[in-house]
Amino acid sequence: MTHRTCHDAAAAPTPAPRRRRPATVSALAFAVLAALPAAAAQPGAPPPSAVERPSVPTWIADFVGEQSTALSGWPGRQVGQLREFYAAADFQPRWTAESGALNERGRALLATLAQAEEHGLSPEALGVPALQAMAEKADPAQRPQVEVALTGALVRFAGWLLGVEREEGAPRHTVFVLDQDQLDTRALARMIEAGDIPRLVAALSPAHSQYQRLLAARRLYKERAAQQAAAPRIPTGPTIRAGYSDARVPAIRARLAALGADVGTTDQPTRYDPKLRQAVMEFQAAHRLQPDGSVGRATLDALNAGPADRLVQIDATLERWRRMPRDLGARHVLVNVPAYTLKVVEGDRATMQMKVVVGTRARQTPTFSSRLATVEINPTWSVPAKLAAEDILPAIRRNPNYLEEHNIRVLAVVDGRVRQIDPAEIDWESQAGRRLPFRFRQDPGAGNSLGKVKMMLPNDEAIYLHDTPKRSLFQRTARAYSSGCIRLEKPDLFANLLLTEGAGWTQEQIDAAFAQRGTRAVPLRDSLPVHIAYLTAWVDDDGKAVFHDDIYGQDERVVQMLRARKPLPAPPPAERLRTASARD
């Protein structure tokens, strides 16, 4: 995936130090998961240090001791988490009885791991089939393996739910400046002790209503996928327009009829008639496509998408929610890149919504969370080096007056100072293929690429939100045309919200600032969290699933990453460990 900044790196605001979610599962919960709630001291009871504790089973120490190499096939991070888990539990078994059978807590855990598929995660990658086989045998000799493997599976499952696993192909969602998430570890410990494993899983999963709605949608589409055989794909080809005849029309009519649309009847099966065109327009509107009645690539893709295809989108979106902060903010901004929308959200209700233009496939808008820091009125535009080489230089060679027509200055450092250079003094043909010794800056004004206002937020890719003079793009359904930054349909409305509530300005102050020609940066004292996300599946308030075009082709890659996960190697028998230890 390629990201291209739409702001000069030297002019970008310095990113604030990152504050990510805790980097390990143990930091969030597992050092205390098995700790019992502290008992109230009884009169005459000995001090805690004098209380006799159960003896430590040697086989647990064999597996998780500092010097043990028993789990050398496991990632070192997970071995450390396992050690912390059992240290908090006085190295006592948590899931198994002396008979080798699972205790009630262990049965609840195994049942929950077997249901990981409800989250779009793989029970097989957690080693569930092998654990079920060992649990069914209830062999005392296998108790150590079952105990340790169950804990390893829990640690791994929790890592997936928390979104802290960093695997190749995983969606990237960096968190800047926002506070770290917090979990009530005492409550988690009580859940483990009480055997309330399903409640523990709910606490580790995103609590956002969209995640919960997507889980319900996943169950529905999984049932549909099991019930419906995959329909033959309608072939690609030229766009079908009103009045055309095309061999694909009968297949389109049959597909829409199967979806419940009224397509009418005809004695000209290959003719794209008005009744069928109306059904296509209704289908397009329901799927957030341009409702023009023409059957092009996007409409064919939507018609060809069956329940299995929608499951891919749902699973990829669930994974992206797991990578996002748990607390989005009581009031926050959500930009959904494939939906081309920005929403200001309070609770679960959108109080402001607008269209946006996002990055092209070659210059993709990245996903991250941050907080709005500054509103810049009448901004200048410092052209990024890559855009200067790829866009501005070719434009100058085609039109020698390009810089003057677009109010762009050429700046260079001369004798330690930034000075303006006369474009006529530069041999533009000789600049191709080399690093430019100067930079371009566009003056404020009606033709400025950033329009009247931009909103800056700390991030490491110099991405921001801004106005644009190219207003016609908002009339299009697909709006991936920028170099990575986010262009706003209603920048004045959004700026008013930020300046009144974030800077305490009056409407008179706002109007006066925009009426001036000079650039003015306004820091926001009370700013909103911003989450730039890539969510191709969404569930409306009425429970209807809406799917957006995967404009960057990411969904299949995310799901392949989930499916590529493999179970951890089975722990060796405890007897083999003791024999090896005796030899050493």
Side-chain angles (χ1 to χ4, degrees), residues 166-186:
R166 290 291 177 263
E167 297 151 309
E168 185 175 351
R172 178 177 181 259
H173 191 100
T174 311
V175 178
F176 301 92
V177 305
L178 301 177
D179 291 333
Q180 293 184 351
D181 295 330
Q182 298 294 327
L183 288 179
D184 185 344
T185 53
R186 291 180 182 273

Side-chain angles (χ1 to χ4, degrees), residues 114-121 123 211 214-216 218-219 222 315 318 322:
Q115 296 169 354
E117 198 262 346
E118 294 181 0
H119 293 261
L121 301 171
Y211 190 85
L214 284 166
L215 292 180
R218 191 185 192 282
R219 291 190 289 271
K222 184 172 176 58
D315 285 352
L318 287 170
R322 291 190 285 264

Side-chain angles (χ1 to χ4, degrees), residues 173-436:
H173 191 100
T174 311
V175 178
F176 301 92
V177 305
L178 301 177
D179 291 333
Q180 293 184 351
D181 295 330
Q182 298 294 327
L183 288 179
D184 185 344
T185 53
R186 291 180 182 273
L188 291 174
R190 287 194 294 272
M191 291 177 205
I192 288 286
E193 184 56 28
D196 194 353
I197 306 298
R199 190 167 159 228
L200 169 64
V201 170
L204 295 171
S205 305
H208 195 282
S209 63
Q210 268 303 306
Y211 190 85
Q212 304 307 316
R213 291 177 186 179
L214 284 166
L215 292 180
R218 191 185 192 282
R219 291 190 289 271
L220 174 64
Y221 278 87
K222 184 172 176 58
E223 290 175 6
R224 290 180 179 177
Q227 294 167 359
Q228 300 177 18
R233 292 186 64 83
I234 302 170
T236 58
T239 297
I240 305 173
R241 306 186 191 278
Y244 281 26
S245 290
D246 193 288
R248 296 169 293 169
V249 168
I252 294 171
R253 187 183 303 276
R255 185 67 49 83
L256 287 170
L259 293 172
D262 179 9
V263 296
T265 58
T266 180
D267 57 1
Q268 296 179 288
T270 61
R271 182 173 178 269
Y272 188 40
D273 58 38
K275 186 70 173 179
L276 180 57
R277 181 172 180 269
Q278 180 61 37
V280 167
M281 291 173 66
E282 293 172 0
F283 175 85
Q284 289 170 328
H287 288 77
R288 305 296 198 272
L289 300 169
Q290 183 71 33
D292 57 8
S294 298
V295 183
R297 183 196 62 79
T299 300
L300 277 177
D301 286 347
L303 285 168
N304 280 324
D309 300 293
R310 299 312 188 190
L311 274 176
V312 168
Q313 290 185 273
I314 290 172
D315 285 352
T317 303
L318 287 170
E319 178 65 11
R320 293 188 182 99
W321 274 112
R322 291 190 285 264
R323 304 280 167 173
M324 291 172 65
R326 290 299 189 265
D327 182 8
L328 302 182
R331 191 182 197 197
H332 62 271
V333 177
L334 178 65
V335 177
N336 189 3
V337 172
Y340 308 109
T341 58
L342 176 149
K343 297 178 182 179
V344 178
V345 182
E346 293 187 37
D348 275 344
R349 187 173 64 92
T351 58
M352 182 185 295
Q353 182 168 336
M354 67 188 70
K355 299 174 183 177
V356 299
V357 173
V358 300
T360 64
R361 192 179 182 99
R363 298 172 177 174
Q364 299 178 13
T365 298
T367 60
F368 61 91
S369 293
S370 187
R371 187 180 291 275
L372 285 161
T374 308
V375 174
E376 190 170 303
I377 300 168
N378 297 323
T380 59
W381 180 44
S382 295
V383 182
K386 288 185 178 180
L387 294 188
E390 296 177 4
D391 298 347
I392 304 297
L393 276 182
I396 296 171
R397 287 196 289 268
R398 289 192 301 269
N399 175 12
N401 298 320
Y402 179 87
L403 296 177
E404 180 181 358
E405 292 171 0
H406 291 82
N407 296 318
I408 296 176
R409 301 174 187 267
V410 182
L411 304 176
V413 177
V414 180
D415 298 329
R417 297 179 62 186
V418 176
R419 299 182 182 276
Q420 183 172 335
I421 306 299
D422 184 352
E425 298 177 358
I426 300 173
D427 180 2
W428 295 107
E429 294 297 333
S430 68
Q431 303 299 324
R434 54 175 293 191
R435 183 176 180 179
L436 301 181

